[in-house]
Amino acid sequence: MTSDTWTTYPALPHALPFRTIFGEYRARRPDDLADAVLKVIRRPERIPEGPEYAGLAEILKSARSSEHLAEAAAKSILKSKHGTEELTTAVAKHILKLELTPQNVESVWTRLDADITKSEQAYQELGSAKEHLQDQRQTRGEPSEEFKKRLVEAYERMLLAEIICQIYDWPLKSILHAMEGTSLCLSGGGIRSASFSLGILEGLARFSRRVGCAETQRPLLDALDYLSTVSGGGYIGSWLMAWSQRSDYHQVIDQLATAAPTSGDPEPQPIRHLREYTSYLTPRYGFTLDTLTLLSIVMRNMILNWMILVPLVMALFCLPEFLYEVSYGWASAHRYAGETWLDVVGSLAQQ
């Protein structure tokens, strides 16, 4: 399977972006992903059909009884390798805790891709069912009973499509839960949010280095899968990633968790540098190019705001005068118009 199959795709409505998520896991944690996929395949409720999966079905049926029978079936499959499908061999090796060959791993990716494709097709059908339901209109002259019947059929089709989506999502969601992915989200709020996020990172780094924590669970930041940031959180998140690119991510976590090597400095040099340049809009104070740039930005924004607000305020101040002219000024200017018209009509009648 080519790498183009695992590029980023927009998710269908109401669906998780499974292809994108698993593509990222395949690039960063391929062994964990293959192990999670095989664990889900080994579940007895997923016994496949078809002659090409006869060996796999035998293993899964044996697993229903006991793990010992499953191991015996796996050994039997590996001994009679002639005509055995690669995925069956991969499952047998996984049961016996043997190393997988590249061909075995490729069969796992093929199976995962097939499951994702089924889910995508199910959601496409769900989208069509929803559109079909929304397009239902009662035509002129159509009896109400027939329209209700069509409406119920369209609604039942949508419910059936949702059930099928749930069925095809189950193995994919099981794989996601088996991966035990972690993420860290840093919210916005300017430099205050960045400072708060820095303290959170330092606290998590110190907690990740505790011996007691390492015995019970994986280190938090070392096993981080996703980092989501916005605004001020993006400022500190980009700083963390830039530091990691120039150094090593695990070394960065070590430095975040410890004090500076010199006794007079409370924090490592990258953190001190960050704090010294928190005024990132004007890093250099005084009459410098940074200050002039900031001043020009402020003046530009003020002028743009004035161009919008000043005409609006002037229009509001002129509104009472305009209403007065319309209501009283026009009436005063034409108060004799009726008498003049009567004079003209009278003179014409006398002639």
Side-chain angles (χ1 to χ4, degrees):
M1 187 166 50
T2 60
S3 59
D4 296 337
T5 313
W6 297 92
T7 53
T8 302
Y9 287 93
L12 294 170
H14 313 289
L16 289 175
F18 289 113
R19 191 172 295 277
T20 301
I21 296 173
F22 289 130
E24 293 174 351
Y25 276 135
R26 184 187 176 186
R28 295 184 290 107
R29 297 167 55 189
D31 296 336
D32 294 337
L33 180 60
D35 181 70
V37 173
L38 290 172
K39 284 181 179 178
V40 174
I41 293 176
R42 286 176 52 185
R43 294 186 178 181
E45 58 267 24
R46 295 204 70 197
I47 297 179
E49 299 178 355
E52 68 275 13
Y53 294 114
L56 180 58
E58 179 183 353
I59 294 176
L60 297 180
K61 289 178 181 178
S62 302
R64 285 182 172 179
S65 302
S66 66
E67 190 69 22
H68 178 71
L69 292 178
E71 293 178 359
K75 291 178 181 178
S76 175
I77 290 295
L78 294 180
K79 288 180 180 178
S80 60
K81 251 193 131 174
H82 179 68
T84 304
E85 200 264 339
E86 283 293 340
L87 182 61
T88 305
T89 304
V91 173
K93 288 184 176 180
H94 188 262
I95 292 175
L96 299 175
K97 297 180 175 58
L98 301 177
E99 185 177 357
L100 302 180
T101 64
Q103 292 79 10
N104 300 147
V105 175
E106 191 64 28
S107 67
V108 174
W109 302 148
T110 303
R111 177 59 180 269
L112 178 59
D113 179 68
D115 288 342
I116 296 174
T117 302
K118 290 179 182 179
S119 175
E120 292 172 343
Q121 292 173 351
Y123 277 99
Q124 289 176 356
E125 176 59 29
L126 176 60
S128 301
K130 287 180 178 291
E131 291 179 0
H132 179 67
L133 178 61
Q134 293 174 356
D135 292 340
Q136 297 302 311
R137 298 290 186 274
Q138 186 174 10
T139 58
R140 182 174 297 178
E142 181 184 15
S144 300
E145 294 298 328
E146 294 185 4
F147 172 66
K148 289 181 180 178
K149 182 179 178 181
R150 287 195 297 107
L151 200 61
V152 169
E153 290 177 353
Y155 182 69
E156 289 178 349
R157 176 189 170 186
M158 186 197 68
L159 292 180
L160 179 61
E162 288 181 345
I163 294 174
I164 295 175
C165 290
Q166 185 179 13
I167 293 173
Y168 286 135
D169 279 351
W170 174 81
L172 300 176
K173 288 182 178 179
S174 300
I175 296 172
L176 285 180
H177 289 305
M179 291 298 296
E180 297 182 350
T182 56
S183 63
L184 177 63
C185 303
L186 304 177
S187 63
I191 196 64
R192 291 173 298 177
S193 173
S195 302
F196 180 79
S197 299
L198 176 60
I200 292 295
L201 288 175
E202 290 181 316
L204 290 176
R206 291 166 186 169
F207 186 76
S208 299
R209 290 296 175 265
R210 289 182 181 175
V211 179
C213 175
E215 293 176 353
T216 58
Q217 62 183 26
R218 297 181 302 168
L220 293 176
L221 291 185
D222 291 273
L224 195 64
D225 291 302
Y226 297 99
L227 177 64
S228 177
T229 63
V230 62
S231 188
Y235 176 70
I236 203 67
S238 59
W239 164 81
L240 177 64
M241 291 297 101
W243 186 11
S244 302
Q245 289 293 325
R246 295 185 179 94
S247 179
D248 179 74
Y249 179 73
H250 300 288
Q251 293 181 2
V252 170
I253 302 304
D254 290 336
Q255 294 187 53
L256 280 173
T258 57
T262 53
S263 58
D265 299 317
E267 294 173 319
Q269 193 275 334
I271 302 179
R272 296 201 310 272
H273 178 83
L274 178 68
R275 295 190 185 280
E276 290 171 359
Y277 290 91
T278 51
S279 182
Y280 51 90
L281 293 178
T282 54
R284 290 175 295 178
Y285 296 103
F287 191 73
T288 62
L289 185 60
D290 293 335
T291 305
L292 295 177
T293 302
L294 178 62
L295 182 62
S296 63
I297 293 174
V298 172
M299 292 301 299
R300 181 200 63 184
N301 294 337
M302 289 179 60
I303 292 173
L304 291 176
N305 290 329
W306 288 345
M307 291 176 63
I308 298 174
L309 296 177
V310 171
L312 181 60
V313 173
M314 293 179 63
L316 291 176
F317 279 118
C318 294
L319 182 62
E321 182 67 22
F322 174 75
L323 294 177
Y324 173 80
E325 291 294 334
V326 170
S327 59
Y328 294 99
W330 185 86
S332 300
H334 299 82
R335 59 184 175 179
Y336 299 112
E339 298 177 1
T340 304
W341 175 250
L342 290 176
D343 294 339
V344 172
V345 173
S347 63
L348 291 176
Q350 292 177 0
Q351 294 178 0

